[in-house]
Amino acid sequence: MVEAPVNYLGSCRCGAVRLRITAPPLLTMACHCRGCQKMSASAFSLSAAFPAASFAVTEGEPVIGGLHGATRHLFCPHCLSWMFSRPQGLDDLVNVRSTMLDDAALFAPFVEFWTSEKLPWATTSAAHSFAKLPDTLEQFRSLTLQFLATRV
């Protein structure tokens, strides 16, 4: 089966930093950890993992904020919107805050992490939940394959 080309566009709140993604997501997620609650000023953060080769910043120059170590969170320097992350040890992925994309409704979370820290009233439609993170990279691969199978 040949997939139709995709061209997801997005921006920060003020529009100073713009994004383009040319591949479908590999996985969509919600994270309930306290760090994401604080950085998103919400009950959880929403994200979609994309192949790094399909991701481009087309306008503006994001700055590092939040985590400054091996995993880096990138923000608009003007409005300070948290836009995407570059996960430690996964150089071939970019984890984009799905609400930064123009059609955020396309990216409902398939999996949720850190439910051990979630606010008791916070719920998502995620098909899979983890108290923390999956124990192995193989579990992440399995989730990705399950998610990709739902797109067929």
Side-chain angles (χ1 to χ4, degrees):
M1 173 200 306
V2 176
E3 288 191 16
V6 299
N7 191 36
Y8 301 121
L9 301 174
S11 70
C12 60
R13 183 170 183 170
C14 73
V17 177
R18 299 213 43 87
L19 311 172
R20 175 181 288 128
I21 302 164
T22 57
L26 300 170
L27 190 63
T28 56
M29 303 155 276
C31 182
H32 295 275
C33 79
R34 292 289 293 143
C36 281
Q37 290 173 23
K38 288 177 181 269
M39 287 200 16
S40 66
S42 185
F44 48 83
S45 70
L46 295 171
S47 62
F50 292 95
S54 73
F55 174 84
V57 174
T58 59
E59 281 184 49
E61 190 75 32
V63 296
I64 297 171
L67 293 179
H68 290 254
T71 293
R72 296 190 170 186
H73 296 153
L74 289 111
F75 293 74
C76 168
H78 183 72
C79 68
L80 301 177
S81 296
W82 179 22
M83 299 188 69
F84 60 97
S85 301
R86 300 229 182 234
Q88 176 180 6
L90 299 172
D91 295 338
D92 55 343
L93 292 178
V94 176
N95 205 18
V96 178
R97 306 275 72 75
S98 29
T99 51
M100 296 298 117
L101 298 171
D102 291 349
D103 196 351
L106 296 174
F107 304 97
F110 182 73
V111 63
E112 61 184 350
F113 302 121
W114 287 99
T115 58
S116 61
E117 297 183 5
K118 79 180 198 111
L119 299 174
W121 46 262
T123 60
T124 74
S125 61
H128 301 277
S129 295
F130 291 85
K132 293 186 178 179
L133 293 171
D135 294 326
T136 66
L137 193 54
E138 187 51 44
Q139 283 181 301
F140 270 108
R141 284 189 188 111
S142 176
L143 288 166
T144 299
L145 291 174
Q146 290 174 56
F147 173 75
L148 293 174
T150 67
R151 293 188 12 238
V152 176

